[in-house]
Amino acid sequence: MNPTTSTVAAMRATALGRMTELLDRSPDPVGDEHARAFEAELADRFGTAHAVALSSGTAALHAALAAYGIGDGDEVLVSGACVVMTLVAIRLTGAMPVLVDSANGELDFDDLAAKTNPRTKAVLPVHLAGRCADLARLTAYCADRGLRLIEDACQAQGTRYDGRWAGTFGDAGCFSAKDGKLLWSGEGGYILTDDGGFAARARSFATHGFLPAPGQPAGSRLGHNYRMPEPVAIIARGNLARFDELLALRRRQTRHLLDAVAHVPGLTPIQPDARLDWNGYAPLLRVELERPREFCARLAEQGVANSVGTYGLTTADRLPSLQNLGLSACPAARADLDTTLAVVVHEGHTEARLDEMARIITEEARQWR
Ligand SMILES: *Cc1c(COP(=O)(O)O)cnc(C)c1O
């Protein structure tokens, strides 16, 4: 179950060598060798023309929206089943998020059409738990209406849809490298894109506008400090080099846990869409028990971390912190999230630990009233 020790050892040796070399150097205020190398390696690995390395997934979303000029007075259509970071990124630009109902990773295209209006500038599907909406249809929808398609692919590293990597369909695909995501580096994030002008603007935005993009006069734009630090880039490069293994491991872990709870009454594995080559981001179970959110919370108390029980995942219209935005209710997304047990799995989970998690889930479900 655990990654083959030889590739972990190789990754460690390379990363430690680079780190030692970095520490031996006197601090270089504009040193970005590893961040730029990570970008080149990402673009090569995922077949895009460009990649932009950043400090987090939220930074990637904010930089992508800002670099396409989205801001005050604009609306961004976003999956109803999303995380709070997606909405924060939209609000940071001054634009308004407009929730589109969604369930099981799929978007409600009728709701999408009903909410598209002249203020709409972009569609931001969120590939929750590594599953995605019909991306071919969504790409065509956006192209027909001149809308930007920006994917929140933070949980979809390694998923393919119709054979193509999630996060490479739209104008920009945004990813996180926070621990627990597939390609982890402690913190960090990145954008994949084929649009060179956009990549330059996003990179400029990530360093206070100090490196103006072509066509942008120096000092004409404000930005943020969203750079990927060099030590983080060293770890990210190490994990990108063994990405196939990380992906295969996550899939095995998810399969293992799902197999171990296959016959528990009240819990049914959620099957991904057939067009999807799913990354297995998290074991997903439909909870057909009374008070499913309480059930998830009870599991979290016993050390089985999960999206509802640990992170309180719910639709944004129900979050007190976003009440002032008047976000629309998304009934399908709400029912979906309320009854989905998404177990948090990471690289360190051994087969024995997965078996222990399965035992806790099984016992809790058997005695749940
Ligand atoms: C993790 C995550 C983010 C934000 O990533 P950070 O690196 O924590 O800022 C955004 N969207 C989704 C769907 C995520 O899973």
Side-chain angles (χ1 to χ4, degrees):
M1 177 67 57
N2 296 328
T4 54
T5 39
S6 61
T7 62
V8 176
M11 187 277 266
R12 279 208 188 123
T14 307
L16 285 174
R18 287 172 175 162
M19 205 70 84
T20 305
E21 198 241 345
L22 188 75
L23 292 170
D24 281 347
R25 245 186 274 163
S26 51
D28 175 357
V30 292
D32 60 1
E33 169 199 338
H34 292 290
R36 297 290 94 92
F38 179 50
E39 290 177 343
E41 289 157 7
L42 278 170
D44 185 48
R45 183 69 181 74
F46 294 106
T48 54
H50 305 273
V52 183
L54 297 157
S55 56
S56 74
T58 312
L61 290 161
H62 183 197
L65 291 160
Y68 276 128
I70 291 159
D72 287 331
D74 297 335
E75 291 183 2
V76 177
L77 295 166
V78 58
S79 311
C82 66
V83 295
V84 70
M85 298 80 95
T86 323
L87 301 167
V88 166
I90 297 169
R91 286 303 295 145
L92 284 171
T93 68
M96 273 298 291
V98 175
L99 301 182
V100 176
D101 213 355
S102 65
N104 297 318
E106 192 49 89
L107 267 184
D108 179 338
F109 276 83
D110 292 335
D111 198 32
L112 182 75
K115 287 171 176 166
T116 303
N117 69 63
R119 288 182 301 279
T120 310
K121 292 287 152 29
V123 181
L124 208 173
V126 181
H127 307 330
L128 216 53
R131 299 164 306 167
C132 32
D134 185 336
L135 287 172
R137 186 173 170 194
L138 196 55
T139 307
Y141 184 89
C142 291
D144 287 350
R145 290 161 187 79
L147 303 174
R148 294 294 176 190
L149 175 56
I150 298 173
E151 298 172 65
D152 181 341
C154 288
Q155 298 187 5
Q157 289 152 331
T159 286
R160 286 171 188 261
Y161 192 84
D162 285 341
R164 183 164 163 188
W165 297 113
T168 68
F169 282 78
D171 296 288
C174 302
F175 296 82
S176 165
K178 170 95 186 72
D179 290 340
K181 315 283 168 159
L182 266 148
L183 201 178
W184 58 267
S185 51
E187 294 283 355
Y190 56 94
I191 300 172
L192 298 180
T193 184
D194 287 328
D195 182 344
F198 160 79
R201 293 194 301 279
R203 218 172 270 130
S204 175
F205 185 77
T207 184
H208 306 296
F210 289 156
L211 305 167
Q216 281 184 344
S220 65
R221 297 279 202 297
L222 294 176
H224 283 264
N225 171 7
Y226 281 163
R227 293 177 294 259
M228 176 175 271
E230 286 290 274
V232 168
I234 287 174
I235 300 171
R237 291 183 71 191
N239 280 330
L240 178 58
R242 62 186 191 117
F243 182 69
D244 286 340
E245 185 192 340
L246 290 171
L247 179 59
L249 173 68
R250 182 70 66 99
R251 285 178 166 149
R252 283 201 307 278
Q253 290 170 317
T254 288
R255 186 76 267 148
H256 187 87
L257 187 68
L258 287 177
D259 285 349
V261 296
H263 302 295
V264 179
L267 298 179
T268 316
I270 299 174
Q271 300 300 338
D273 183 315
R275 288 169 76 179
L276 212 63
D277 185 13
W278 185 43
N279 65 357
Y281 185 77
L284 297 174
L285 291 150
R286 183 68 63 210
V287 184
E288 284 139 351
L289 299 166
E290 295 296 313
R291 297 169 283 110
R293 293 188 70 90
E294 278 177 51
F295 174 73
C296 292
R298 183 75 196 100
L299 293 179
E301 280 165 27
Q302 295 173 81
V304 180
N306 63 87
S307 54
V308 164
T310 309
Y311 300 107
L313 186 64
T314 186
T315 50
D317 61 292
R318 284 198 287 174
L319 291 175
S321 55
L322 296 172
Q323 283 308 307
N324 58 331
L325 298 183
L327 297 170
S328 54
C330 291
R334 178 174 176 162
D336 180 32
L337 295 182
D338 279 353
T339 58
T340 299
L341 171 62
V343 181
V344 174
V345 168
H346 62 73
E347 195 190 343
H349 282 141
T350 60
E351 201 163 307
R353 175 63 193 146
L354 294 169
D355 287 338
E356 172 67 5
M357 285 156 69
R359 188 191 59 72
I360 293 167
I361 294 169
T362 305
E363 281 181 11
E364 197 58 45
R366 290 234 159 93
Q367 62 179 37
W368 190 254
R369 292 281 177 273

